[in-house]
Amino acid sequence: MSNRVFNFSAGPATLPLDVLKKVQEEMLSYDGKGMSLMEMSHRSKEFEQVIHEAEALCKELLNISDDYRVLFLQGGASTQFSMVPLNFLTEDKTADYIVTGSFANKAYKEAVKLGNVNVAGNTKEANHNYIPSQDELTLSEDATYVHITSNNTIFGTQWNEYPDTGDVPLVADMSSDIMSKPMDVSKFGLIYAGAQKNLGPSGVTLVIIRKDLLEKVPETLPSMSRYDLMAESDSMYNTPPTFAVYILKLVLEWLKARGGLDAVNQFNLEKAKFIYDAIDNSDGFYQGHAQKEHRSLMNATFRLADSELESTFIKEAAENNLVGLKGHRSVGGIRASIYNAMSKEGCIALAKFMEDFKAKHSK
Ligand SMILES: *Cc1c(COP(=O)(O)O)cnc(C)c1O
């Protein structure tokens, strides 16, 4: 495995090596059947078992009550940007959006096309380097839902304490921090997450939805946009992304074997500390984008004081097997994405490289 690099890509992102090996092992003949799972009917007993186990593992890991359904949909998180308002932002209703980054803004823009929207918070003025506090929010009296983005992948900020929305369902795009720590699902009406950051490959989107919301779905919607039909058919209204669901299931098994989400959180805290310490102990050579108390444990964003050195940083990092570090153009600089599957060794190697690079290039 000496040709494996440390991949800090924001997504699709690194997967656990054990999972990849298992997929490789089962590639040509799954469960002795003489064919790959990829080649099997989604109605086969093998695949039905895979999807049921994936659902059961989600429930177990996140401690999800029977008031919720777990769905595996397609179209990525971006499809959820419109599916949420199509289902719940019906006539005469208003939805609140808290815009803390690029994806939050994309979600907001889709909702605006479909109904009344109130921007309950927007951190754009500060180039999204923080998460608003409760008293900075202007929530509507009786919104149909409040939408947040739990981790801002591009800017590197993360909600620690979710807003209090009373009886109004909280809807969260958790694409980039789902299952990175224990989460109280009962605080949410709906959670969605594209799998390709923390849960598996691209192609499958996890949706966790409170059952009472399924009753509000307008029957006039196109079938593929209806949460109620997706739930009734156990995510098999049409052919689901079978191979992606299978890999996601293996990732969930891997998370469980690590000791569940408490252990995963401890591990993620330790990992992020290596990188943030390297920033904070650099005498300003590295400058973090996010305000310290809102820093993401999943995406560390920083600039070099001498921005002309940034391309050299990325180039020399790659020579050291540290890849995928270029920041998004709206922030610039460097972004190290260190999702669940990034190893501690990878974070230590990056922190060490940062120190060495500083020693070599500071005047
Ligand atoms: C990556 C990402 C998206 C986009 O996901 P797609 O599956 O590509 O549609 C949306 N929201 C957040 C927070 C993300 O990190």
Side-chain angles (χ1 to χ4, degrees):
M1 286 303 148
S2 56
N3 58 349
R4 292 278 297 170
V5 295
F6 291 119
N7 175 10
F8 294 91
S9 166
T14 194
L15 285 165
L17 187 56
D18 290 346
V19 166
L20 294 175
K21 283 182 179 163
K22 178 95 171 158
V23 173
Q24 185 178 42
E25 214 173 274
E26 296 182 331
M27 182 63 88
L28 300 186
S29 179
Y30 180 83
D31 194 26
K33 292 296 179 298
M35 62 174 93
S36 163
L37 185 100
M38 206 178 334
E39 302 168 285
M40 280 181 200
S41 165
H42 58 296
R43 308 285 175 199
S44 64
K45 119 177 158 314
E46 286 77 18
F47 181 71
E48 291 218 341
Q49 192 179 345
V50 165
I51 198 165
H52 287 145
E53 281 176 20
E55 183 182 341
L57 282 160
C58 284
K59 287 188 168 159
E60 183 182 343
L61 285 163
L62 283 168
N63 200 11
I64 302 174
S65 82
D66 287 340
D67 296 339
Y68 290 80
R69 289 298 309 268
V70 173
L71 307 175
F72 301 103
L73 306 185
Q74 299 188 61
S78 301
T79 295
Q80 298 304 308
F81 295 167
S82 50
M83 201 158 152
V84 168
L86 278 169
N87 280 262
F88 304 119
L89 183 51
T90 40
E91 247 181 289
D92 306 329
K93 300 226 165 86
T94 298
D96 285 352
Y97 276 73
I98 304 176
V99 181
T100 53
S102 302
F103 290 115
N105 193 46
K106 282 187 168 169
Y108 157 75
K109 279 159 84 180
E110 291 301 303
V112 165
K113 294 180 195 169
L114 296 164
N116 274 329
V117 177
N118 166 48
V119 178
N122 193 338
T123 55
K124 187 168 186 285
E125 293 284 287
N127 202 18
H128 301 301
N129 72 355
Y130 74 102
I131 298 293
S133 61
Q134 184 82 24
D135 53 6
E136 285 171 84
L137 303 176
T138 48
L139 299 170
S140 308
E141 279 292 302
D142 55 352
T144 175
Y145 61 84
V146 177
H147 182 280
I148 64 165
T149 309
S150 60
N151 182 78
N152 298 285
T153 322
I154 290 174
F155 296 91
T157 60
Q158 187 172 21
W159 289 80
N160 293 318
E161 232 174 280
Y162 300 115
D164 180 2
T165 60
D167 290 337
V168 177
L170 185 57
V171 173
D173 174 0
M174 292 199 179
S175 293
S176 51
D177 69 351
I178 183 89
M179 297 206 201
S180 64
K181 57 183 178 183
M183 288 160 174
D184 183 0
V185 171
S186 73
K187 285 207 160 79
F188 297 88
L190 190 156
I191 292 169
Y192 63 89
Q196 67 271 22
K197 280 134 191 171
N198 263 313
L199 296 181
S202 58
V204 60
T205 308
L206 175 68
V207 171
I208 302 166
I209 183 167
R210 217 173 59 209
K211 284 178 183 165
D212 62 292
L213 294 175
L214 296 170
E215 280 149 35
K216 301 189 178 178
V217 175
E219 284 176 16
T220 50
L221 287 186
S223 304
M224 284 298 288
S225 297
R226 284 178 56 178
Y227 287 116
D228 57 339
L229 291 186
M230 297 303 126
E232 268 166 37
S233 59
D234 289 327
S235 309
M236 299 235 250
Y237 182 83
N238 72 329
T239 316
T242 52
F243 203 62
V245 172
Y246 153 67
I247 299 177
L248 176 139
K249 188 209 78 158
L250 296 178
V251 171
L252 299 180
E253 284 173 347
W254 178 82
L255 289 174
K256 183 176 167 182
R258 306 217 80 171
L261 300 189
D262 272 314
V264 168
N265 184 36
Q266 276 314 309
F267 180 70
N268 286 332
L269 281 162
E270 277 176 50
K271 277 160 44 187
K273 190 170 186 306
F274 290 114
I275 293 165
Y276 286 124
D277 280 352
I279 295 172
D280 294 341
N281 299 332
S282 72
D283 297 320
F285 186 85
Y286 300 110
Q287 303 183 338
H289 175 71
Q291 290 182 13
K292 280 190 189 175
E293 60 274 33
H294 305 294
R295 280 174 167 174
S296 166
L297 294 187
M298 300 284 101
N299 311 94
T301 49
F302 56 96
R303 312 275 327 222
L304 273 66
D306 177 358
S307 62
E308 297 205 335
L309 274 177
E310 284 169 354
S311 56
T312 313
F313 179 98
I314 289 160
K315 184 170 149 277
E316 290 188 9
E319 288 161 10
N320 285 275
N321 280 340
L322 307 164
V323 307
L325 286 163
K326 193 168 172 9
H328 189 275
R329 62 187 181 283
S330 45
V331 186
I334 315 295
R335 170 174 52 175
S337 297
I338 50 172
Y339 304 118
N340 287 341
M342 172 52 69
S343 63
K344 199 184 285 187
E345 291 70 36
C347 293
I348 292 172
L350 176 58
K352 173 80 172 47
F353 170 78
M354 288 169 71
E355 275 172 38
D356 294 348
F357 186 87
K358 182 195 165 220
K360 184 170 157 195
H361 292 277
S362 49
K363 292 161 198 130

